[in-house]
Amino acid sequence: MADLTARPDRRTRIADAALDLAADGGNRAVTHSGVDRYLDLPKGSTSYYFRTRRGLLDAALTHLTATSAASFVTSRRFDAPHEADAADVVGRYLHTLTTSRTRDVRARFALASDAAHDADFAAALRDSLCSRPGAVALFTALGASDAESDAADLLVFCEGVAATHLFSGVSQTTAELTSAVRRRFELTSQ
């Protein structure tokens, strides 16, 4: 009988392994041979899917960005479809980011030095944990007079929360994060 359990395809497994390696060993740990060893793949397997290190890093960032988007969607309480508090959604997302997704935060910061001389990679890395277009859409929906600036401020705040957690190991509760978002951005409805 066929195994019907969902298993990520090899490209996704490789991208996820690259994030694990970055989180645990820094940006220089992300190599084709390192991924092959980590996943116990035949030598050269990762190179078959991603010819260059940049290709491997792009795949890892694409995977991280997709994971972040999915995590944000699940931060919305589907058991309460009438929920209209944007601060709650952002607070829950930040709590998830600093608790169950610490690997992603570590990987994102570990890859920062790769962005130093590559504007495209820097832009992808910037948006990998928190979506700039999503933040602009949020503030636009709330009727903000300057949605772009408000979104930029929210992203700086979110980066600060992630960095504070990463460097201190301290996680705030969902209620604390929600309260901080509400105070700083006056987010009350969507």
Side-chain angles (χ1 to χ4, degrees):
M1 181 175 211
D3 179 17
L4 300 178
T5 58
R7 182 174 181 194
D9 71 356
R10 187 166 281 187
R11 288 178 186 272
T12 301
R13 289 178 49 227
I14 289 170
D16 202 51
L19 294 173
D20 284 343
L21 290 171
D24 293 339
N27 71 323
R28 294 294 168 210
V30 183
T31 64
H32 290 81
S33 60
V35 172
D36 288 344
R37 282 190 303 275
Y38 186 80
L39 293 176
D40 198 26
L41 296 174
K43 186 176 181 177
S45 293
T46 299
S47 294
Y48 173 79
Y49 290 97
F50 304 104
R51 293 307 225 187
T52 64
R53 183 170 186 274
R54 173 59 191 269
L56 178 59
L57 293 177
D58 285 345
L61 277 184
T62 298
H63 179 60
L64 179 58
T65 302
T67 300
S68 294
S71 179
F72 187 77
V73 167
T74 60
S75 293
R76 303 185 84 131
R77 289 185 21 204
F78 293 105
D79 62 330
H82 61 280
E83 178 187 44
D85 193 338
D88 284 338
V89 174
V90 174
R92 276 194 300 277
Y93 177 75
L94 288 172
H95 187 259
T96 299
L97 195 62
T98 58
T99 55
S100 61
R101 293 190 57 220
T102 57
R103 186 268 331 231
D104 294 344
V105 173
R106 287 192 326 270
R108 189 254 186 234
F109 279 92
L111 295 173
S113 63
D114 283 298
H117 304 290
D118 186 333
D120 292 336
F121 190 76
L125 190 64
R126 177 197 68 210
D127 293 340
S128 64
L129 291 180
C130 302
S131 166
R132 181 172 302 278
V136 171
L138 169 69
F139 283 104
T140 300
L142 293 172
S145 61
D146 188 356
E148 290 282 341
S149 293
D150 290 340
D153 292 345
L154 178 62
L155 294 178
V156 168
F157 177 80
C158 293
E159 287 285 338
V161 168
T164 298
H165 168 72
L166 178 65
F167 300 123
S168 72
V170 174
S171 294
Q172 294 178 294
T173 67
T174 302
E176 291 169 329
L177 290 165
T178 299
S179 178
V181 170
R182 189 171 284 117
R183 282 191 318 271
R184 283 163 184 77
F185 299 100
E186 298 177 10
L187 291 180
T188 56
S189 63
Q190 293 185 349

